[in-house]
Amino acid sequence: MERLFCDTALAEHIERAEARFVAGCCDATRLRLGDGLGFTRPLAGGVATFAEAGSPFNKIAGLGFAGLPEGLDEVEEAFAELGAPVQVELSQLAGSAVGAFLTARGYRLESYENVLGRRVGAGEFPEDVRPCRDDELETWLSAMADASAVADDQGLPSNEHFPRELLLNALRDMAGVRRYLATRDGEFAGGACFRVTDGIAQFGGAATLPAHRRRGVQTALLRARLAAAAEAGCDLAVVTTQPGSKSHQNAQRQGFDLLYARAILVKGTSATSSSGADSRQAS
């Protein structure tokens, strides 16, 4: 299989897709709440979003490929009015001037997340994985929130800690995704989802119930989504993971290459959520 090399053009393509995904999730949250709060604002080729208090979709994504974020003053004021810190996800392949610009404004490095990718080719759909039916959505959401709440003990610890209700909200508001579930011995073992944006299959929302971990559940879900992505006409699949995690290892075993890291930079009181990596790809 072709090893995937990521240049700045590919990184920009992936970051643009990520910004669109985050914006869609934020819009879904505002539609669900119906309270008129929150915002989605374009910013230097990326997007600044606030969904609801403590949400993993409160962030600035996609910066670094269209110059300095000159409108950042207004964005920072908007977050401050809602009592939220400003969190930026900055690609390792973004322009170096952007990182210097942010740190000069008082942003501090809190953590990293990894972006992995691979080319998509035809593959077989595992027998123990199937699409989640509409009438199974609430069961899927509840099981996934339970699974995500129990952190995996492999790799660097995550600094993300979400209350169960916020996990449910984030999983529910993942815009435009196709959800899948895996079974083991007739029981719900885990789930995952993906979204198609500009030919990219964005994998996320993956978690395995603790009793079924280390049994190949996430491997099956990865293979299923790769097969579905091929059917959907995607030529690239990407996934975001916690560095050194079991998810990172599982993805590499399925041919994903480490493309780049994102630095998580925060200004203001540290949020309970960080990058949202675990809401996209958990253990």
Side-chain angles (χ1 to χ4, degrees), residues 10-238:
L10 179 56
E12 180 178 5
H13 185 43
I14 294 169
E15 291 297 291
R16 292 285 179 271
E18 176 70 6
R20 287 182 58 184
F21 174 61
V22 173
C25 294
C26 184
D27 291 345
T29 300
R30 293 207 307 275
L31 182 63
R32 171 174 54 81
L33 294 176
D35 56 12
L37 298 177
F39 57 81
T40 302
R41 299 188 180 190
L43 181 67
V47 67
T49 57
F50 182 93
E52 62 178 323
S55 172
F57 306 129
N58 301 343
K59 64 175 71 177
I60 298 174
L63 292 187
F65 300 94
L68 299 180
E70 301 296 347
L72 190 54
D73 284 339
E74 292 78 10
V75 168
E76 290 177 346
E77 290 173 4
F79 278 104
E81 288 175 0
L82 292 167
V86 188
Q87 176 181 291
V88 177
E89 295 179 353
L90 186 63
S91 169
Q92 180 184 25
L93 293 175
S96 58
V98 178
F101 175 81
L102 294 172
T103 55
R105 293 177 67 95
Y107 285 79
R108 66 187 181 278
L109 177 65
E110 281 213 342
S111 63
Y112 295 94
E113 62 185 30
N114 285 340
V115 178
L116 297 92
R118 58 159 284 174
R119 296 296 180 192
V120 173
E124 295 184 1
F125 204 96
E127 293 182 358
D128 52 355
V129 178
R130 61 177 175 79
C132 176
R133 302 191 307 266
D134 290 345
D135 63 351
E136 296 175 313
L137 176 59
E138 295 304 320
T139 299
W140 188 93
L141 291 170
S142 180
M144 295 293 285
D146 289 342
S148 298
V150 181
D152 200 303
D153 59 2
Q154 178 171 323
L156 295 174
S158 173
N159 63 343
E160 298 179 316
H161 303 285
F162 300 107
R164 188 176 190 278
E165 191 62 29
L166 275 178
L167 282 171
L168 279 171
N169 290 346
L171 290 164
R172 186 185 302 277
D173 296 338
M174 295 179 79
V177 299
R178 310 178 189 195
R179 296 179 173 90
Y180 296 86
L181 61 86
T183 59
R184 183 170 168 266
D185 298 330
E187 299 180 357
F188 186 109
C193 61
F194 82 98
R195 164 185 160 122
V196 177
T197 305
D198 295 333
I200 298 176
Q202 297 167 287
F203 287 11
T208 305
L209 290 167
H212 298 283
R213 290 177 182 172
R214 311 297 188 265
R215 299 293 186 274
V217 173
Q218 284 305 316
T219 296
L221 286 161
L222 282 168
R223 289 175 176 170
R225 287 177 291 169
L226 285 168
E231 291 180 358
C234 297
D235 57 12
L236 174 68
V238 297

Side-chain angles (χ1 to χ4, degrees), residues 238-276:
V238 297
V239 61
T240 304
T241 72
Q242 184 75 9
S245 64
K246 188 64 178 177
S247 296
H248 184 166
Q249 184 182 48
N250 285 338
Q252 285 198 326
R253 286 174 172 171
Q254 293 305 308
F256 284 79
D257 290 310
L258 177 60
L259 304 182
Y260 56 89
R262 292 191 187 115
I264 312 303
L265 302 165
V266 178
K267 182 178 182 180
T269 304
S270 181
T272 56
S273 63
S274 177
S275 63

